[in-house]
Amino acid sequence: MTINVYTEQTPNPATMKFMVNKLLINGSEDFATKESAEHSPFAKELFKFNFVSGVFFASNFVTITKTDDAEWADIEAILKEFVKGAVESELKIKEATAEEAPTFEGSETEIKIQQILHDYVRPAVEQDGGAITYKSFDEGVVTVELRGSCSGCPSSTITLKSGIQNLLQRMVPEVTEVVSEAL
């Protein structure tokens, strides 16, 4: 199989989404630091580039966060070629690959919130090179964690309040607010 790689800009100017024509991972993996990539051969190799400051994998893409001193015009082709070679050589994203279907836990309301986040919000957030994780529901407040290109993105607050919060309030009347937990 010939591996094709193409890039997409994300709402976060510090991140670029590198899409491939092959499923890389079920779920997602976030490596916000070089140290966190200890058990990921793929991410560890990416962090060897001095202009890479974060790596996030989901379905058929890797979102790469660059350092402030790097310009996409200078590094995009290098990273594109690296991603192509890594996928072709089947470089592992993580050492142990026991994937399972998502499990939702908690009260009936919490399970409904998690299902909505998984079915409606996750695909949209992944389109922009990010991921969303449900953390908690307490007294009407849903706490989530935004990762990948969403972490530190200037427009993530608008996405959170205008998009996710409005959707959850319409579908789950018990929800009064959605907040993001800082990493």
Side-chain angles (χ1 to χ4, degrees):
M1 172 184 201
T2 302
I3 298 298
N4 297 313
V5 181
Y6 66 95
T7 56
E8 281 184 10
Q9 291 183 320
T10 71
N12 183 347
T15 67
M16 180 81 66
K17 189 172 164 183
F18 293 79
M19 309 276 299
V20 298
N21 58 328
K22 177 180 179 180
L23 181 68
L24 299 175
I25 186 172
N26 287 317
S28 63
E29 287 292 325
D30 191 19
F31 303 99
T33 64
K34 188 175 195 169
E35 296 73 33
S36 67
E38 180 69 26
H39 300 290
S40 172
F42 199 143
K44 204 185 315 189
E45 288 300 313
L46 277 167
F47 276 110
K48 287 182 180 178
F49 292 106
N50 63 356
F51 48 75
V52 171
S53 67
V55 178
F56 173 78
F57 296 95
S59 59
N60 68 329
F61 65 87
V62 56
T63 299
I64 300 172
T65 305
K66 68 174 186 66
T67 56
D68 291 337
D69 60 341
E71 296 297 328
W72 285 117
D74 300 330
I75 64 174
E76 183 178 348
I78 296 165
L79 290 170
K80 202 170 173 180
E81 194 60 37
F82 174 82
V83 169
K84 179 177 174 47
V87 173
E88 286 174 342
S89 65
E90 298 184 10
L91 191 59
K92 289 193 184 320
I93 291 172
K94 58 184 185 175
E95 300 291 350
T97 56
E99 290 300 328
E100 53 194 58
T103 54
F104 306 126
E105 298 174 348
S107 68
E108 190 177 318
T109 301
E110 289 176 293
I111 289 170
K112 188 173 183 181
I113 291 166
Q114 292 170 65
Q115 189 72 52
I116 291 166
L117 289 173
H118 183 268
D119 292 349
Y120 298 98
V121 178
R122 181 188 55 83
V125 171
E126 283 184 359
Q127 288 251 302
D128 286 337
I132 186 167
T133 305
Y134 169 83
K135 299 308 260 184
S136 65
F137 176 68
D138 186 38
E139 296 182 15
V141 179
V142 176
T143 303
V144 297
E145 179 183 84
L146 297 172
R147 298 177 296 144
S149 71
C150 296
S151 178
C153 174
S155 62
S156 64
T157 303
I158 295 164
T159 300
L160 196 65
K161 296 298 180 185
S162 298
I164 300 166
Q165 182 172 294
N166 287 347
L167 174 71
L168 284 174
Q169 287 174 331
R170 277 195 315 273
M171 297 178 85
V172 185
E174 298 87 347
V175 173
T176 58
E177 185 180 14
V178 178
V179 297
S180 178
E181 185 178 84
L183 289 175

